[in-house]
Structure formats: C-alpha cells, structure tokens
C-alpha cells in the first residue's frame, strides 16, 4: 500500500502533475478523522492521489471525484484499481460544471482549476450536509499570493489575482464562516453559518 502511494507520488513528479502537498493532505486527513467525515465530493481528481489518501483513512469513507482530463482520469482509474478502492471511490470523467449530483456530502474538496474556485463553490455548496464543510487547497499558490512580484508571467499573475478574489469571496461570504490554515500550499475550511 505504502509502496503504491510512493509510485503515484513519483509518477506525479516525473509527469509534472500537481498533487496536493503531503503536509496539506495530512492536515485534511486529520480533519476527516476528527470530524467523522464519511462521504466526500472532490472537484479535481488528477491521478487520484488525494481521493485515494482520503479513502484509505477508514473502510467506511466514500469519495466521489470528478476529473475532466481523460489521460489523468485513466491514470486515476488505474491507481484506484491497483489499491482495490473501486467500491469506495466513484470517479467521473466530466467537466465539473456539467456534472450534476443531488446527493449530500459531509465534505466538498475543491482542488481543480484555481481560476474557477468561486464558481465551483457556488455550484456545489448545496450538496453539503447541514454540518458539512468545503475545503479548498492552493490558496498560497507557491507563495505567489503573498508575493506576486516573484513572477512576471502574465497568466500566472491573472491566476494569482483570481485566487486573491476567491479569498476575499470566502472572507466576505455571509453563508459560510471560513478559517484559513498556513499548511501545505494554503488551505481553507468553510462551514455553513
């Protein structure tokens, strides 16, 4: 099991596929354990790394995850099967904005296109159970949110500005109270008020 996780981490590194930092996933997994979270909706599977890590916490955790990139989806399917988690991880190869789901979740994990975080939040917030939370990753974006001067790339600057807008959106949101954590690449936990 540990070996398979290491293989996934190595594959992600070699193929330049962004996966959640270890410190970040450990923090989220502790939150899942401490709050008896059993069903999770993840926006952005990539190669299945975080869905697998979350599902492995406990045998009664179920993860529904969405990935629009076919190659990453195929790799995620392979990784999920290798770890025999097909009965606990349900993966969909579809754009999150097209995906429809009436189910309720204890936790929604947003870790997809950073520029779309506000839209993801708004689309899926109604899929939360009454005491559910929305967790978002990459709010520091490799330190660039605090130090945008460290990049001259126009696309990166636009992306960082969208992440900053998302942070303001969370802080000003009247429906949710958000806590921010300086772990991994920056994580927020939003709870319905």
């Amino acid at each position: 099991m540990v070996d398979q996780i290491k293989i996934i981490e190595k594959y992600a590194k070699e193929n330049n596929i962004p996966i959640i930092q270890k410190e970040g996933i450990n923090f989220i997994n502790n939150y899942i354990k401490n709050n008896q979270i059993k069903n999770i909706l993840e926006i952005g599977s990539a190669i299945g790394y975080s869905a697998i890590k979350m599902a492995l916490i406990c045998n009664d955790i179920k993860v529904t995850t969405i990935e629009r990139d076919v190659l990453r989806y195929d790799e995620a399917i392979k990784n999920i099967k290798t770890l025999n988690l097909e009965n606990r991880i349900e993966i969909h190869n579809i754009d999150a904005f097209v995906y429809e789901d009436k189910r309720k979740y204890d936790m929604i994990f947003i870790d997809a296109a950073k520029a779309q975080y506000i839209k993801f939040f708004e689309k899926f917030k109604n899929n939360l159970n009454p005491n559910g939370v929305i967790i978002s990753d990459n709010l520091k974006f490799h330190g660039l949110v605090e130090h945008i001067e460290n990049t001259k790339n126009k696309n990166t600057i636009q992306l960082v500005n969208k992440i900053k807008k998302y942070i303001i959106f969370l802080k000003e949101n009247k429906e949710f109270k958000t806590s921010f954590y300086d772990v991994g690449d920056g994580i927020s936990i939003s709870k319905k008020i």
Side-chain angles (χ1 to χ4, degrees):
M1 189 112 29
V2 176
D3 289 346
Q4 191 53 42
I5 298 291
K6 286 203 165 86
I7 289 166
I8 297 169
E9 290 168 351
K10 185 172 183 268
Y11 178 91
K13 194 173 181 180
E14 287 171 357
N15 293 278
N16 214 15
I17 294 167
I19 59 172
I20 189 167
Q21 292 180 12
K22 282 184 190 171
E23 188 188 7
I25 193 65
N26 291 342
F27 173 82
I28 291 169
N29 282 356
N30 282 330
Y31 186 88
I32 290 168
K33 277 182 225 165
N34 295 335
N35 292 277
Q36 274 78 52
I37 287 168
K38 298 300 175 197
N39 59 336
I40 299 161
L41 174 63
E42 177 186 49
I43 319 300
S45 324
I47 56 172
Y49 179 72
S50 46
I52 288 166
K53 293 282 279 183
M54 292 186 288
L56 287 173
I57 295 170
C58 189
N59 289 336
D60 61 353
I61 290 177
K62 298 228 185 269
V63 182
T64 300
T65 184
I66 308 163
E67 178 55 52
R68 69 177 192 180
D69 183 283
V70 178
L71 294 176
R72 289 180 181 185
Y73 167 82
D74 288 342
E75 190 64 28
I77 290 273
K78 191 178 85 180
N79 292 330
I80 291 163
K81 280 185 178 165
T82 302
L83 285 153
N84 299 313
L85 291 170
E86 305 98 310
N87 61 334
R88 292 199 287 121
I89 299 176
E90 175 189 317
I91 183 167
H92 300 274
N93 181 213
I94 190 169
D95 188 296
F97 294 119
V98 178
Y99 181 74
E100 290 301 329
D101 192 341
K102 298 284 180 256
R103 291 173 291 182
K104 300 287 184 188
Y105 295 91
D106 299 326
M107 178 183 131
I108 295 171
F109 179 42
I110 302 175
D111 190 19
K114 314 301 164 236
Q116 304 298 331
Y117 271 25
I118 293 174
K119 287 181 183 170
F120 291 142
F121 192 103
E122 292 287 13
K123 177 173 168 69
F124 293 105
K125 69 182 181 183
N126 295 325
N127 289 93
L128 273 185
N129 278 326
N131 296 318
V133 294
I134 298 177
I135 297 184
S136 309
D137 188 31
N138 302 118
L139 299 187
K140 290 198 305 188
F141 201 66
H142 319 296
L144 293 174
V145 170
E146 291 102 349
H147 299 284
I148 199 165
E149 69 277 3
N150 291 344
T151 183
K152 299 288 177 257
N153 182 300
K154 260 189 186 164
N155 291 340
T156 305
I157 290 168
Q158 283 179 330
L159 185 56
V160 168
N161 284 330
K162 284 188 175 161
I163 294 169
K164 285 181 175 182
K165 272 188 192 154
Y166 180 63
I167 292 167
I168 292 165
F169 163 84
L170 292 177
K171 286 178 177 173
E172 294 177 351
N173 197 301
K174 302 279 188 272
E175 285 182 280
F176 288 81
K177 184 181 185 330
T178 300
S179 302
F180 297 88
Y181 299 89
D182 193 17
V183 292
D185 198 24
I187 288 172
S188 66
I189 299 179
S190 306
K191 288 184 187 176
K192 211 158 196 173
I193 295 169

